[in-house]
């Protein structure tokens, strides 16, 4: 049964929403999480890659979450030249269907009420403050009051905009993605592979993230700058047919990643945003699982503090923005690196790859790649300087 | 000015179009998508970004 009012209402049952609900319930608030889809964790619009250390810093890792351990990275330049990199961190390819469901269950275990098939249609306000949500639960329309609403509604977020925040993603910053989980592949399961080339993924890259000995997520992202002429669905079909003609297509998904600068504001009176809804992804890699989890947790904790003090206004909630500030600064840096990398031409990538290959494998770190890039294209120094100014 | 043409059979309900719509004019539920005609300014951001080409600029001269 959905109650008439809660301390905290969370919109969206992805990693950000579940972590927010868990944190708020754990700290003693009454919490409802509303997810529009019929099942938490499905569909999986994600390549499922995370760093082991980062995940372990947030939760005790369960073996059921892990499809594949990753110990190395391979880059393929436009020429086809392949460069293996020294790995500085172990990674996992998750099974997000199980992982997301577990995160929601943890929230439930802490006392949060989880409702699927519940679409949040809008917010309602009292004295200018967000005071709750209007929902459609299995065809029944109702309103639910909340002291604080946390918008964790993903790339398709509308919650922030209903409260007057500017969360539209600039079109050139949206990566338009297509992915297939395919079987019957000849791959090296412990390596993730990235292809950079204008022909394969303009303004983005293609990834192969293994989920087992012969199965992988193969996907690509195309910047909105190019996605009118170059549709991800066709680029993906072309690539897979050319490189893996015997692939068995098990599941196809589409999606978007907001690869933008940090949002100016993450809070309004009675409202916090977390995860993709707050554009908290790494704009270079598109990764957003870990940052969504962390921001969800911080948002949930701040909500409870605000309720305790009785101050639900945006000035108090800005505490969450202050806590997020170090991450926002990182995001700003990665945005500059993204602009630099995605402005390289195929010829530049080929030259850099050739130069890096002259290094022994254990010396191939990102810093050395930048060094080699500089020697090959000295004008890059200006782009790189911009990163640090 | 006409709103984009939408082909439901090609749509994956992924929400990428919603993220780039400047007018918040797209309403997306689990398996339905509606463009709110009153709000849409026909900017075509959603058409440009859609990964599956489920949205298309309407060309009144040809039958879709
Ligand atoms: C193709 C692709 C590959 C990716 N690969 C990686 C990767 O390898 N590693 C990585 O770290 N990140 C990756 N990402 C990014 C990652 O998937 C997201 O950053 C992450 O899922 C964000 O979590 P979230 O909780 O903010 O949002 P989501 O996981 O998107 O959850 C939002 C939820 O809100 C629900 N919702 C939306 N609107 C409403 C509403 N009105 N009412 C009720 N519910 C609503 C949605 O149904 C959804 O379940 C990838 C993304 C894409 C598209
Ligand atoms: S971007 Fe395209 S596929 Fe995704 S929801 Fe919008 S119309 Fe559907
Ligand atoms: S055309 Fe522009 S305003 Fe209209 S729905 Fe698409 S993105 Fe929104």
């Amino acid at each position: 049964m959905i109650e008439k009012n809660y301390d905290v209402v969370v919109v969206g049952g992805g990693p950000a929403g579940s972590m927010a609900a868990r944190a708020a319930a754990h700290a003693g608030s009454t919490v409802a999480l509303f997810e529009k889809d019929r099942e938490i964790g499905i569909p999986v619009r994600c390549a499922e890659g995370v760093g082991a250390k980062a995940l372990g810093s947030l939760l005790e890792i369960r073996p059921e979450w892990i499809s594949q351990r990753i110990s190395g990275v391979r880059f393929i330049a436009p020429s086809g030249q392949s460069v293996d990199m020294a790995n500085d961190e172990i990674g996992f390819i998750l099974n997000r269907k199980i992982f997301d469901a577990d995160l929601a269950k943890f929230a439930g275990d802490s006392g949060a009420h989880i409702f699927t098939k519940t679409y949040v249609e809008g917010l309602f306000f009292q004295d200018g403050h967000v005071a709750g949500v209007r929902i459609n639960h299995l065809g029944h329309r109702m309103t639910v009051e909340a002291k604080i609403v946390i918008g964790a509604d993903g790339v398709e977020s509308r919650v922030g905009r209903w409260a007057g925040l500017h969360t539209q993603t600039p079109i050139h910053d949206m990566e338009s993605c297509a992915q297939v989980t395919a079987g019957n592949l000849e791959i090296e399961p412990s390596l993730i592979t990235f292809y950079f080339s204008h022909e394969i993924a303009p303004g983005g890259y293609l990834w192969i993230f293994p989920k087992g000995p012969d199965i992988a997520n193969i996907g690509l992202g195309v910047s909105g700058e190019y996605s009118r002429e170059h549709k991800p669905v066709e680029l993906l079909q072309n690539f897979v047919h050319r490189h893996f003609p015997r692939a068995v297509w098990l599941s196809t998904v589409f999606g978007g990643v907001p690869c933008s600068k940090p949002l100016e504001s993450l809070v309004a009176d009675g409202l916090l945003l977390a995860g993709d809804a707050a554009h908290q992804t790494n704009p270079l890699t598109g990764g957003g699982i870990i940052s969504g989890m962390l921001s969800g947790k911080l948002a949930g904790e701040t909500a409870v503090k605000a309720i305790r003090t009785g101050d639900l206004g945006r000035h108090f909630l800005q505490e969450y923005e202050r806590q997020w500030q170090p991450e926002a600064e990182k995001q700003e840096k990665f945005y500059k690196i993204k602009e630099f990398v995605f402005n390289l031409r195929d010829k530049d990538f080929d030259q850099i790859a050739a130069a890096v290959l002259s290094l022994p494998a254990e010396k191939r770190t990102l810093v050395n790649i930048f060094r080699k890039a500089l020697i090959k294209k000295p004008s890059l120094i200006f782009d790189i300087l911009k990163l640090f100014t | 000015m006409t709103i984009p043409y939408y082909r439901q059979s090609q749509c994956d309900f992924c929400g990428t179009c919603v993220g780039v719509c400047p007018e918040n004019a797209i309403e997306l539920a689990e398996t339905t998508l509606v463009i709110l005609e009153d709000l849409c300014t026909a900017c075509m951001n959603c058409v440009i970004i859609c990964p599956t080409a489920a949205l298309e600029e309407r060309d009144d001269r040809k039958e879709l």
Side-chain angles (χ1 to χ4, degrees), chain B residues 4 20-23 25-26 35 40-46:
Chain B
V20 297
C21 173
E23 309 301 332
I26 306 175
I35 297 179
C40 174
T41 56
C43 73
M44 298 304 143
N45 271 4
C46 55

Side-chain angles (χ1 to χ4, degrees), chain B residues 21-35:
Chain B
C21 173
E23 309 301 332
N24 211 2
I26 306 175
E27 202 149 80
L28 170 75
E30 186 174 17
T31 51
T32 56
L33 182 148
V34 180
I35 297 179

Side-chain angles (χ1 to χ4, degrees), chain A residues 188-201:
Chain A
E188 175 54 65
S190 64
L191 282 186
I192 52 174
T193 306
F194 297 101
Y195 283 75
F196 285 89
S197 115
H198 190 81
E199 198 189 323
I200 291 174

Side-chain angles (χ1 to χ4, degrees), chain A residues 123-126 128-133 146-149 163 268-271:
Chain A
L123 300 172
F124 65 89
F125 298 83
Q126 206 171 2
H129 276 233
V130 174
V133 294
K147 297 191 175 97
I148 299 273
V149 172
D269 293 325
L271 179 97

Side-chain angles (χ1 to χ4, degrees), chain A residues 111-280:
Chain A
H113 294 183
I114 314 278
F115 300 96
T116 54
K117 273 277 186 201
T118 308
Y119 179 54
V120 175
E121 296 183 323
L123 300 172
F124 65 89
F125 298 83
Q126 206 171 2
D127 306 324
H129 276 233
V130 174
V133 294
R134 292 186 284 111
I135 61 171
N136 185 330
H137 174 63
L138 290 162
H140 298 286
R141 291 203 145 124
M142 57 190 281
T143 56
V144 178
E145 289 170 25
K147 297 191 175 97
I148 299 273
V149 172
I150 298 177
D153 47 338
V155 65
E156 71 263 47
S157 178
R158 301 171 75 212
V159 169
R161 298 207 254 178
W162 287 327
L165 297 174
H166 300 289
T167 66
Q168 180 208 340
T169 303
I171 184 107
H172 58 270
D173 284 340
M174 185 66 91
E175 288 285 315
S176 175
C177 306
Q179 176 178 279
V180 57
T181 306
N184 205 16
L185 306 174
E186 271 176 44
I187 49 168
E188 175 54 65
S190 64
L191 282 186
I192 52 174
T193 306
F194 297 101
Y195 283 75
F196 285 89
S197 115
H198 190 81
E199 198 189 323
I200 291 174
Y205 62 85
L206 179 140
W207 62 84
I208 301 175
F209 282 14
K211 284 178 70 86
D214 68 344
I215 180 168
N217 293 328
I218 306 178
L220 56 87
V222 175
S223 152
E225 220 174 306
Y226 302 102
S227 60
R228 180 170 215 143
E229 271 79 42
H230 304 276
K231 283 295 172 199
V233 59
E234 286 158 24
L235 292 170
L236 182 68
Q237 284 164 352
N238 292 344
F239 179 88
V240 176
H241 289 152
R242 185 156 4 122
H243 290 80
F244 299 100
R246 298 190 309 124
V248 179
W249 292 58
L250 299 171
S251 156
T252 316
V253 287
F254 301 91
V257 187
C259 294
S260 71
K261 293 179 189 168
L263 283 185
E264 240 150 62
S265 179
L266 308 175
V267 302
D269 293 325
L271 179 97
L272 299 141
L273 293 181
D276 278 14
H279 300 199
Q280 286 158 330

